[in-house]
Amino acid sequence: MTESEPATQPRATRRINGSTAESNAAIERAYRDAYGGVLATLIRFLGGDFDAAEEALADVFATALETWPRDGVPAKPAAWLTTAARNRALDRIRRDRRQAEKLVLLEQEMTGTEVATMQLGTDGGLEDDRLRLIFTCCHPALQLDTRVALTLRTLGGLTTPEIARAFLVPEATLAQRLVRAKRKIRQAAIPYRVPLGEELPERIEGVLAVLYLVFNEGYLASAGEAAVRHELCAEAIRLASLLADLMPDRPETHGLLALLLLQDSRREARVAADGSIALLDEQDRTRWDGAEIARGLEAMDRGFAAAARLSHASVGRYLLQAAIAAEHARTIDGRATDWRAIATLYEALARIDPSPIVELNRAVAIAQAEGPGAGLALLDQLAAGGELAGYHLLPAARADFLRRLGLFTEAAAEYERALGLSDNDAERRFLQRRLAETRS
Amino acid sequence: MRYMLLIYGEETQQDDAATGDAPEISPPWMEYTNWLAREGILRGGDKLAASPSATTVRVRDGNRLITDGPYTETKEVLGGYYMIECEDLDKALEAAARCPAAFGGSIEVRPIIPMPAPAPAG
């Protein structure tokens, strides 16, 4: 499979044998669109029992594979799946005599409204359930890698082998991690709800961090199959989009979505013909995805509008990073880039999220705006701080500034240092190419 | 839902020298305990004697092994506990974060699994 194939690889079809193409496609769509939402509703219905919900849903997907080709696809697949899976779960509980007491409780708790919500399937209740599920999967009482895996498994509907492959961990390890997570959610009573009040901003931040991690794993990963990585990016964008839809008054939800879309729009142009990373100024901008850029810019505008309605301070790191990406995305001729605006945005970013990496990026922007000499001065300050020791992009940036000043011998030495620190193949190829150029 | 708040921190010289008499309770702890009680979530709690007074027991291959001291020798030791009852983990974490030992030490929050009452001795 190549990178030019569709972002979302049909997952359900891999499990389907011998049914018609049309219902295959419908099942696949239903699976992708509805899995997380239906599962979220089922988990609430089953009082937080992830395993029972997953089992019931897997069962009804198997049933759909038989009945949909024969009877036709239901008008509202999500509602059909929800109702069928709920009935399946109840049957199972009824059959299981050890769970007899639980059934009594469930039937007592199941009010008329809840039954209505379950059956409607696509109304507000379902949306709320998906939010509950996101916040539960991204609860800080779970380890970060567990949050990532659980989010992809439950909301994204990725299979355990798929997630294991994407993160290069043995399948058994990942399966075990998921089992432990679900057990902890149950035993420690991690609540199945959207956090309230003052807790909310911090928890949203946590969810955004998980989604950004999923995206970056797909976008920047130094290893792994291209196809799997691509799927992670698509999934992160889908979930970020869901979160922005469900929490439209939170600027950063739009900020993250915008950032992911704008970064992803450069995917095709980011890798040079020889497989090395093409830097921004070397990328063929006609290969950027215009539709994705448009969606990204719209999301960013919605984010700034939401921030304006709250307060100035609500412009956060994702919105600022999106604004930086947008400066590039809007510029068809790279030479026309407004580096001064970008340097200012990095300065704002450094104020809310001070980090040497942000300072390094600011130095690069300053070097573009005011010349490599000004950039070098900033890098010297950064290097003196010592925090970036061992980080290959510091010597790589130095090398670039020196090269542009015509100091080729010094530049070559810095490229060699950078090479010694990087273990990413695409990046190493890039550095080697530059090193060869400085020596010629 | 009941939770144990296990209070870990470094032991002071004073803890070490403690005689086993009822300790004097400092104002922040008194305040915290009262707060838990006012919230209606306090189910129990005590200070533990210093870690050198601990004895750890385990049975391996039918043999009872007794070791002097706490289960693990670390700088931060279990110094006391509260048992609280809250709706969910978020509420329990909120209560734990107010504990004086959370500033500097750490509080491990563990759900309690209810056990059936023991049968009366007959």
Side-chain angles (χ1 to χ4, degrees), chain A residues 1-65:
Chain A
M1 189 161 139
T2 68
E3 287 243 348
S4 61
E5 282 178 23
T8 313
Q9 177 64 14
R11 281 193 283 280
T13 47
R14 292 184 214 150
R15 309 193 179 89
I16 295 167
N17 294 310
S19 38
T20 71
E22 193 192 328
S23 59
N24 267 3
I27 295 172
E28 178 199 315
R29 256 199 314 280
Y31 189 85
R32 202 167 50 229
D33 298 345
Y35 186 90
V38 173
L39 185 68
T41 301
L42 286 171
I43 292 172
R44 174 168 57 79
F45 177 70
L46 294 169
D49 193 335
F50 277 62
D51 288 326
E54 278 175 350
E55 265 176 51
L57 191 50
D59 277 0
V60 301
F61 266 110
T63 309
L65 290 182

Side-chain angles (χ1 to χ4, degrees), chain A residues 139-141 184 186-191 193 195 199 203, chain B residues 1 3 87-91 93-94 109-113:
Chain A
H139 197 281
K184 175 155 188 191
R186 196 173 57 241
Q187 281 191 338
I190 291 180
R193 63 169 159 76
E199 219 185 318
R203 294 286 305 278
Chain B
M1 193 79 196
Y3 295 90
E87 191 183 319
D88 56 45
L89 183 65
D90 282 359
K91 297 270 163 55
L93 292 175
E94 213 179 293
V109 179
R110 283 269 196 106
I112 289 177
I113 298 179

Side-chain angles (χ1 to χ4, degrees), chain A residues 79-106:
Chain A
W80 187 95
L81 289 166
T82 308
T83 308
R86 184 205 57 186
N87 292 338
R88 190 66 56 103
L90 283 178
D91 282 348
R92 196 181 289 260
I93 294 170
R94 281 196 193 99
R95 272 200 311 270
D96 194 342
R97 296 185 62 185
R98 283 169 302 165
Q99 300 249 20
E101 280 175 41
K102 198 172 174 184
L103 178 64
V104 175
L105 284 176
L106 272 176

Side-chain angles (χ1 to χ4, degrees), chain A residues 241-265:
Chain A
S241 170
L242 175 70
L243 196 65
D245 284 349
L246 296 179
M247 308 196 104
D249 56 336
R250 298 285 164 171
E252 285 290 88
T253 62
H254 303 288
L256 179 72
L257 175 61
L259 176 62
L260 301 191
L261 286 166
L262 292 170
Q263 285 189 358
D264 199 58
S265 73

Side-chain angles (χ1 to χ4, degrees), chain A residues 244 247-259 262 295-327 330 341 344-346 348-349 351-352:
Chain A
M247 308 196 104
D249 56 336
R250 298 285 164 171
E252 285 290 88
T253 62
H254 303 288
L256 179 72
L257 175 61
L259 176 62
L262 292 170
R295 278 178 68 204
L297 294 177
E298 278 165 27
M300 184 181 75
D301 290 344
R302 279 196 300 276
F304 277 109
R309 282 194 296 275
L310 292 172
S311 75
H312 190 67
S314 53
V315 173
R317 69 184 70 165
Y318 296 112
L319 213 41
L320 282 171
Q321 283 173 268
I324 292 164
E327 282 296 334
R330 284 200 193 100
T344 309
L345 286 165
Y346 272 120
L349 189 57
R351 269 197 300 273
I352 55 169

Side-chain angles (χ1 to χ4, degrees), chain A residues 110-255:
Chain A
M110 211 172 91
T111 64
T113 352
E114 242 175 328
V115 176
T117 307
M118 297 285 301
Q119 282 161 350
L120 275 174
T122 48
D123 67 0
L126 192 70
E127 309 274 281
D128 292 347
D129 282 335
R130 281 192 293 186
L131 261 191
R132 285 189 189 99
L133 185 53
I134 290 179
F135 279 101
T136 303
C137 291
C138 298
H139 197 281
L142 301 169
Q143 273 180 27
L144 188 58
D145 48 8
T146 302
R147 287 178 233 164
V148 168
L150 199 59
T151 301
L152 288 172
R153 178 73 195 92
T154 58
L155 278 151
L158 268 71
T159 63
T160 303
E162 280 170 333
I163 303 167
R165 236 179 12 254
F167 289 91
L168 300 173
V169 290
E171 216 176 296
T173 308
L174 192 90
Q176 179 75 322
R177 200 179 285 167
L178 288 169
V179 167
R180 286 214 183 104
K182 286 183 274 191
R183 192 186 301 144
K184 175 155 188 191
I185 289 172
R186 196 173 57 241
Q187 281 191 338
I190 291 180
Y192 194 57
R193 63 169 159 76
V194 177
L196 309 163
E198 59 189 71
E199 219 185 318
L200 185 60
E202 195 188 312
R203 294 286 305 278
I204 290 178
E205 189 76 12
V207 171
L208 295 174
V210 166
L211 298 185
Y212 196 36
L213 197 80
V214 170
F215 180 85
N216 275 334
E217 188 60 32
Y219 197 68
L220 305 172
S222 47
E225 294 167 48
V228 178
R229 299 206 317 262
H230 206 156
E231 185 153 350
L232 287 182
C233 292
E235 202 52 54
I237 289 174
R238 209 179 64 83
L239 292 174
S241 170
L242 175 70
L243 196 65
D245 284 349
L246 296 179
M247 308 196 104
D249 56 336
R250 298 285 164 171
E252 285 290 88
T253 62
H254 303 288

